[in-house]
Amino acid sequence: MTQPGLVPVQTTPSASLRGVIRAPGDKSISHRALIIAALATGRSLIKGLLVADDLTSTANALRQCGVVIGVGKQGDCEIDGVGIGGLIEAADVLDLGNSGTAVRLLMGVLASHPIQTIFSGDRSLQARPMRRVAEPLEQMGASVRTGTNGGLPVVLIGAQSPMPITYQLPVASAQVKSAILLAGLNIIGTTKVIESIPTRNHTENMLRAFGAKIGSELIDGVTHITLEGHPELMAQEVTVPGDPSSAAFPLVAALITQNSEVVVEGVGINETRTGLYKCLLEMGADIHIDSVATVNGEPIANITARSSKLKAVEISASRAPSMIDEYPILAAAAACADGTTLMHGLGELRIKESDRLRAIVDGLQDCGVETSVTGDTLEVKGTGTGGVPGSENQILSHRDHRIAMTFLTLGLVSKVPVEVDDGSMIDSSYPNFLQDMNLIGAKMACSI
Ligand code: S3P
């Protein structure tokens, strides 16, 4: 029986997928565009912003802090920036819903405003670790009280006289890096972040596009990022590229489904995000990346995927930051491949929107695929037939958008239809997922 509030969604196996779709706006870049435009002087125009629940959370939080934001048709959005240091104290708690990026980046921004902010979110967000952001922000002079087990709610009192820091990231996290850099905007002096494994650099690119003085230097294989405080950020017209993390679903769908050819247009191919595509090419995927443009320092391409006979690969931990959100869909591809795929260094997956390692293993086992975890390594024994047996039971999404989309995609090549217990969270990152998939020939529908 369906639990109240859950929206079960079912995929019926497909014989072929064909068509051209446009990737939804990049979630990471959309958050940064909203936040940085809010701190600039003048009115910015953001085109192609992802209109999804996670971005609504960020936009509403900024509005609570005094920013005027108007969202128009097709994701075009106008923001009247308040200037660096110009945010005001919110009268109420900032509820960031399901979005880890929203809460962590905004904690950074507000840490160098001398005001108090209380952050909260949904059950999943409340359980996610916030100490990793709180620690550097405390070094900058903010006071941060986290909730039980270091999660939300967080009470943050921004520093009166914030200090620049040099911080070596203990975990490869773009959210932690970005929180520090965004705090550094309102601090006199140079804020420096050192990362030994590169993480997505959209904050650096967007800050540069708005006129900040930001440097990135590779010294002995380690990246040193420096930001000069109090730059003059000037309003911009920004175009948000399509999200490679969302494009991954229709593209992997085409690879694993027979007689298929799918093109996803306008996908961001920033080096720090393309780990999945490298892995798929190593697995023998018929994928073509046709570079088309660079916007606001971000490269964009059209990506074509055709049905492919995939083979297993071993993926090193060093690739994890460039594909951290893509392991669920890669595991689905591995389930259809010939041989045993090993993915190392996946510890961070335990603290995403759900415990994704557990969710992948349970869901794949339910679908008849031998899967296990040893330490931080995921092992998937591919069926080698290009398909999976499937499950008579509902697959649990754990209210995680990427887990839901992964198993709905796998349902395309399952012997029996796959039903996911809840597809409602897909709205947090890819609200048109079902429409896009059905447009290319899939049969995915809510089952109540
Ligand atoms: C993100 C960084 C990653 C990623 C998340 C988006 C970002 O998280 O998983 O979906 O926009 O900076 P971590 O910084 O925790 O690795």
Side-chain angles (χ1 to χ4, degrees), residues 38-55:
L39 299 173
T41 307
R43 177 171 291 182
S44 290
L45 175 67
I46 302 172
K47 295 180 169 176
L49 186 85
L50 174 67
V51 181
D53 289 351
D54 278 15
L55 277 306

mmCIF file of all heavy atoms in Angstrom, residues 38-55:
data_model
loop_
_atom_site.group_PDB
_atom_site.id
_atom_site.type_symbol
_atom_site.label_atom_id
_atom_site.label_comp_id
_atom_site.label_asym_id
_atom_site.label_seq_id
_atom_site.Cartn_x
_atom_site.Cartn_y
_atom_site.Cartn_z
ATOM 1 N N ALA A 38 22.963 38.109 -6.311
ATOM 2 C CA ALA A 38 22.357 38.791 -5.157
ATOM 3 C C ALA A 38 23.373 39.679 -4.448
ATOM 4 O O ALA A 38 23.007 40.648 -3.782
ATOM 5 C CB ALA A 38 21.799 37.766 -4.178
ATOM 6 N N LEU A 39 24.667 39.352 -4.599
ATOM 7 C CA LEU A 39 25.715 40.113 -3.911
ATOM 8 C C LEU A 39 26.366 41.154 -4.820
ATOM 9 O O LEU A 39 27.280 41.866 -4.408
ATOM 10 C CB LEU A 39 26.785 39.147 -3.380
ATOM 11 C CG LEU A 39 26.266 38.121 -2.357
ATOM 12 C CD1 LEU A 39 27.350 37.107 -2.033
ATOM 13 C CD2 LEU A 39 25.781 38.813 -1.090
ATOM 14 N N ALA A 40 25.910 41.215 -6.071
ATOM 15 C CA ALA A 40 26.484 42.172 -7.024
ATOM 16 C C ALA A 40 25.750 43.507 -6.914
ATOM 17 O O ALA A 40 24.767 43.635 -6.189
ATOM 18 C CB ALA A 40 26.371 41.605 -8.433
ATOM 19 N N THR A 41 26.267 44.474 -7.645
ATOM 20 C CA THR A 41 25.597 45.783 -7.693
ATOM 21 C C THR A 41 24.840 45.871 -9.007
ATOM 22 O O THR A 41 25.427 45.674 -10.072
ATOM 23 C CB THR A 41 26.656 46.906 -7.640
ATOM 24 O OG1 THR A 41 27.482 46.657 -6.507
ATOM 25 C CG2 THR A 41 26.008 48.272 -7.496
ATOM 26 N N GLY A 42 23.543 46.144 -8.932
ATOM 27 C CA GLY A 42 22.732 46.288 -10.143
ATOM 28 C C GLY A 42 21.880 45.060 -10.416
ATOM 29 O O GLY A 42 21.850 44.120 -9.619
ATOM 30 N N ARG A 43 21.169 45.117 -11.575
ATOM 31 C CA ARG A 43 20.224 44.042 -11.917
ATOM 32 C C ARG A 43 20.860 43.020 -12.850
ATOM 33 O O ARG A 43 21.264 43.351 -13.964
ATOM 34 C CB ARG A 43 18.987 44.648 -12.576
ATOM 35 C CG ARG A 43 17.981 43.604 -13.024
ATOM 36 C CD ARG A 43 16.671 44.198 -13.463
ATOM 37 N NE ARG A 43 15.953 44.771 -12.322
ATOM 38 C CZ ARG A 43 14.748 45.334 -12.404
ATOM 39 N NH1 ARG A 43 14.131 45.376 -13.557
ATOM 40 N NH2 ARG A 43 14.157 45.823 -11.333
ATOM 41 N N SER A 44 20.924 41.777 -12.413
ATOM 42 C CA SER A 44 21.458 40.695 -13.261
ATOM 43 C C SER A 44 20.305 39.964 -13.928
ATOM 44 O O SER A 44 19.199 39.884 -13.378
ATOM 45 C CB SER A 44 22.254 39.686 -12.427
ATOM 46 O OG SER A 44 23.451 40.248 -11.967
ATOM 47 N N LEU A 45 20.607 39.398 -15.106
ATOM 48 C CA LEU A 45 19.628 38.570 -15.805
ATOM 49 C C LEU A 45 20.228 37.176 -15.914
ATOM 50 O O LEU A 45 21.348 37.017 -16.417
ATOM 51 C CB LEU A 45 19.363 39.151 -17.201
ATOM 52 C CG LEU A 45 18.438 38.316 -18.085
ATOM 53 C CD1 LEU A 45 17.017 38.304 -17.510
ATOM 54 C CD2 LEU A 45 18.409 38.877 -19.509
ATOM 55 N N ILE A 46 19.493 36.191 -15.427
ATOM 56 C CA ILE A 46 20.003 34.821 -15.507
ATOM 57 C C ILE A 46 19.094 34.025 -16.431
ATOM 58 O O ILE A 46 17.892 33.901 -16.181
ATOM 59 C CB ILE A 46 20.068 34.173 -14.113
ATOM 60 C CG1 ILE A 46 20.947 35.034 -13.221
ATOM 61 C CG2 ILE A 46 20.635 32.763 -14.204
ATOM 62 C CD1 ILE A 46 20.936 34.620 -11.789
ATOM 63 N N LYS A 47 19.696 33.502 -17.491
ATOM 64 C CA LYS A 47 18.923 32.729 -18.461
ATOM 65 C C LYS A 47 19.165 31.240 -18.229
ATOM 66 O O LYS A 47 20.290 30.838 -17.946
ATOM 67 C CB LYS A 47 19.361 33.091 -19.881
ATOM 68 C CG LYS A 47 19.045 34.516 -20.243
ATOM 69 C CD LYS A 47 19.504 34.784 -21.648
ATOM 70 C CE LYS A 47 18.952 36.117 -22.115
ATOM 71 N NZ LYS A 47 19.455 36.461 -23.436
ATOM 72 N N GLY A 48 18.109 30.467 -18.396
ATOM 73 C CA GLY A 48 18.249 29.014 -18.295
ATOM 74 C C GLY A 48 18.429 28.513 -16.878
ATOM 75 O O GLY A 48 18.876 27.383 -16.657
ATOM 76 N N LEU A 49 18.061 29.344 -15.912
ATOM 77 C CA LEU A 49 18.144 28.913 -14.506
ATOM 78 C C LEU A 49 17.305 27.643 -14.312
ATOM 79 O O LEU A 49 16.232 27.529 -14.894
ATOM 80 C CB LEU A 49 17.572 30.031 -13.623
ATOM 81 C CG LEU A 49 17.705 29.820 -12.119
ATOM 82 C CD1 LEU A 49 19.063 30.305 -11.652
ATOM 83 C CD2 LEU A 49 16.610 30.571 -11.369
ATOM 84 N N LEU A 50 17.811 26.721 -13.527
ATOM 85 C CA LEU A 50 17.006 25.531 -13.217
ATOM 86 C C LEU A 50 15.819 25.957 -12.351
ATOM 87 O O LEU A 50 16.014 26.512 -11.268
ATOM 88 C CB LEU A 50 17.863 24.511 -12.468
ATOM 89 C CG LEU A 50 17.097 23.284 -11.953
ATOM 90 C CD1 LEU A 50 16.591 22.425 -13.111
ATOM 91 C CD2 LEU A 50 17.973 22.448 -11.027
ATOM 92 N N VAL A 51 14.625 25.708 -12.864
ATOM 93 C CA VAL A 51 13.439 26.006 -12.052
ATOM 94 C C VAL A 51 13.030 24.685 -11.400
ATOM 95 O O VAL A 51 12.403 23.829 -12.012
ATOM 96 C CB VAL A 51 12.295 26.585 -12.919
ATOM 97 C CG1 VAL A 51 11.085 26.919 -12.049
ATOM 98 C CG2 VAL A 51 12.771 27.842 -13.639
ATOM 99 N N ALA A 52 13.467 24.508 -10.181
ATOM 100 C CA ALA A 52 13.229 23.249 -9.458
ATOM 101 C C ALA A 52 13.221 23.577 -7.968
ATOM 102 O O ALA A 52 13.656 24.661 -7.560
ATOM 103 C CB ALA A 52 14.339 22.253 -9.788
ATOM 104 N N ASP A 53 12.748 22.618 -7.183
ATOM 105 C CA ASP A 53 12.539 22.903 -5.758
ATOM 106 C C ASP A 53 13.797 23.408 -5.048
ATOM 107 O O ASP A 53 13.727 24.298 -4.203
ATOM 108 C CB ASP A 53 12.019 21.652 -5.039
ATOM 109 C CG ASP A 53 10.572 21.347 -5.439
ATOM 110 O OD1 ASP A 53 9.956 22.200 -6.128
ATOM 111 O OD2 ASP A 53 10.068 20.271 -5.076
ATOM 112 N N ASP A 54 14.962 22.833 -5.375
ATOM 113 C CA ASP A 54 16.188 23.247 -4.676
ATOM 114 C C ASP A 54 16.491 24.726 -4.924
ATOM 115 O O ASP A 54 16.993 25.433 -4.044
ATOM 116 C CB ASP A 54 17.392 22.403 -5.132
ATOM 117 C CG ASP A 54 17.455 21.073 -4.397
ATOM 118 O OD1 ASP A 54 16.443 20.694 -3.764
ATOM 119 O OD2 ASP A 54 18.502 20.408 -4.462
ATOM 120 N N LEU A 55 16.186 25.182 -6.136
ATOM 121 C CA LEU A 55 16.475 26.594 -6.454
ATOM 122 C C LEU A 55 15.433 27.521 -5.852
ATOM 123 O O LEU A 55 15.738 28.662 -5.471
ATOM 124 C CB LEU A 55 16.569 26.777 -7.967
ATOM 125 C CG LEU A 55 17.935 26.425 -8.558
ATOM 126 C CD1 LEU A 55 19.032 27.211 -7.841
ATOM 127 C CD2 LEU A 55 18.259 24.952 -8.448
#
